[in-house]
Amino acid sequence: DPMCEQQTNEGVLEAGCIFVMLSKTLKEDKGTKILLKNKAAPLVLQGKSSVVFLICREHQAPCAPRGVDQLLGQNEEDWVTKCRAAIRKNWREVLQEARVAFNADMEHRDEQVRSKILPKEVDDIAEKTEIRAIYPVMHTSLLLNSEFRKKNPDKADQVLDKSGIYWLLGRLEAMHRDAIVAIVRRLAKVSLPTLCAKMRRTLDRAKSGGGQVPERL
């Protein structure tokens, strides 16, 4: 759908943080990989945005964990570890391709806004990028099953912790709080001083032109 694709592209360009939902790795999701390379990666390399990868494979029956024991088992832990490593490797490759294209574009434009992006910067970004597995269906099911939680409080706590939903909600809340702080900071440091300066210039012009201005102003 062209309209949906356009909205996605615009959203990526405006987002301060981009959450990427994957069922496996970027290798299997070529469309997302192209979007990241062309739109998101250049912004991340310039420090204008960040990316968080969310692995969610609950819809992948029958290989997805279908019970508490499977979710908490070593097989699931091993699968997630392997998947994270693959995603980080794919993401590093995407960033590297975007770095080469970005540097070439800057050289072509002969822009000296900043120095070239180095491979070390790509490695640092890839290594620090958050990659989490989330299990929203399992999380919701457990919250609704009060009887299981009463009989198995330890397992319930482990599942709710491993589901990643509390972490995700906390991450979103922190982003919202940071955005509000940034707005207030800009208001205090830029908007209000600018408005004050404009008002003072207006008053000065009024006084110099012989206008009647109250003394207290």
Side-chain angles (χ1 to χ4, degrees):
D1 184 355
M3 183 63 70
C4 183
E5 183 178 348
Q6 180 181 348
Q7 291 177 342
T8 300
N9 290 336
E10 291 175 354
V12 168
L13 294 175
E14 296 175 1
C17 182
I18 304 162
F19 289 86
V20 181
M21 185 78 74
L22 297 171
S23 57
K24 288 185 179 179
T25 68
L26 280 173
K27 187 177 182 180
E28 286 82 14
D29 196 337
K30 294 182 179 179
T32 298
K33 188 174 182 179
I34 292 173
L35 178 63
L36 287 172
K37 175 186 173 183
N38 295 337
K39 302 294 183 180
L43 296 175
V44 174
L45 289 172
Q46 297 175 76
K48 297 179 179 179
S49 186
S50 61
V51 167
V52 176
F53 291 101
L54 303 175
I55 310 167
C56 182
R57 64 179 191 128
E58 288 183 318
H59 63 283
Q60 289 186 314
C63 59
R66 289 173 289 173
V68 170
D69 292 334
Q70 287 185 346
L71 176 64
L72 299 177
Q74 188 60 44
N75 287 341
E76 183 66 15
E77 186 67 29
D78 292 343
W79 184 91
V80 170
T81 300
K82 183 179 179 180
C83 194
R84 280 177 179 160
I87 292 173
R88 200 174 301 281
K89 179 177 180 292
N90 298 151
W91 177 226
R92 183 179 284 106
E93 293 169 352
V94 169
L95 288 169
Q96 175 64 16
E97 292 177 13
R99 180 191 75 84
V100 173
F102 181 83
N103 286 344
D105 185 53
M106 289 297 99
E107 186 173 344
H108 175 71
R109 296 183 186 183
D110 195 26
E111 294 188 12
Q112 303 297 325
V113 178
R114 57 156 291 160
S115 58
K116 287 187 176 182
I117 299 174
L118 303 175
K120 172 95 169 42
E121 296 178 70
V122 169
D123 291 337
D124 290 341
I125 293 171
E127 193 60 35
K128 293 176 181 178
T129 298
E130 290 184 280
I131 306 174
R132 295 271 188 152
I134 60 172
Y135 305 87
V137 175
M138 189 74 74
H139 181 94
T140 304
S141 298
L142 195 60
L143 288 180
L144 295 174
N145 194 339
S146 58
E147 183 177 347
F148 178 87
R149 295 203 313 275
K150 289 179 181 178
K151 292 181 179 179
N152 306 274
D154 292 339
K155 277 190 176 181
D157 288 343
Q158 291 180 57
V159 171
L160 292 175
D161 180 61
K162 190 170 183 177
S163 71
I165 301 303
Y166 289 145
W167 163 83
L168 180 58
L169 293 175
R171 187 75 161 75
L172 293 172
E173 182 181 353
M175 287 174 55
H176 182 64
R177 184 172 58 250
D178 291 344
I180 293 176
V181 170
I183 292 172
V184 173
R185 183 182 294 115
R186 178 174 177 78
L187 181 65
K189 292 187 175 182
V190 180
S191 301
L192 289 179
T194 301
L195 178 60
C196 183
K198 288 182 178 179
M199 291 177 65
R200 188 168 297 281
R201 287 196 298 270
T202 301
L203 291 172
D204 290 342
R205 285 197 298 269
K207 288 179 180 180
S208 63
Q212 295 299 318
V213 180
E215 192 62 34
R216 62 182 179 178
L217 293 178

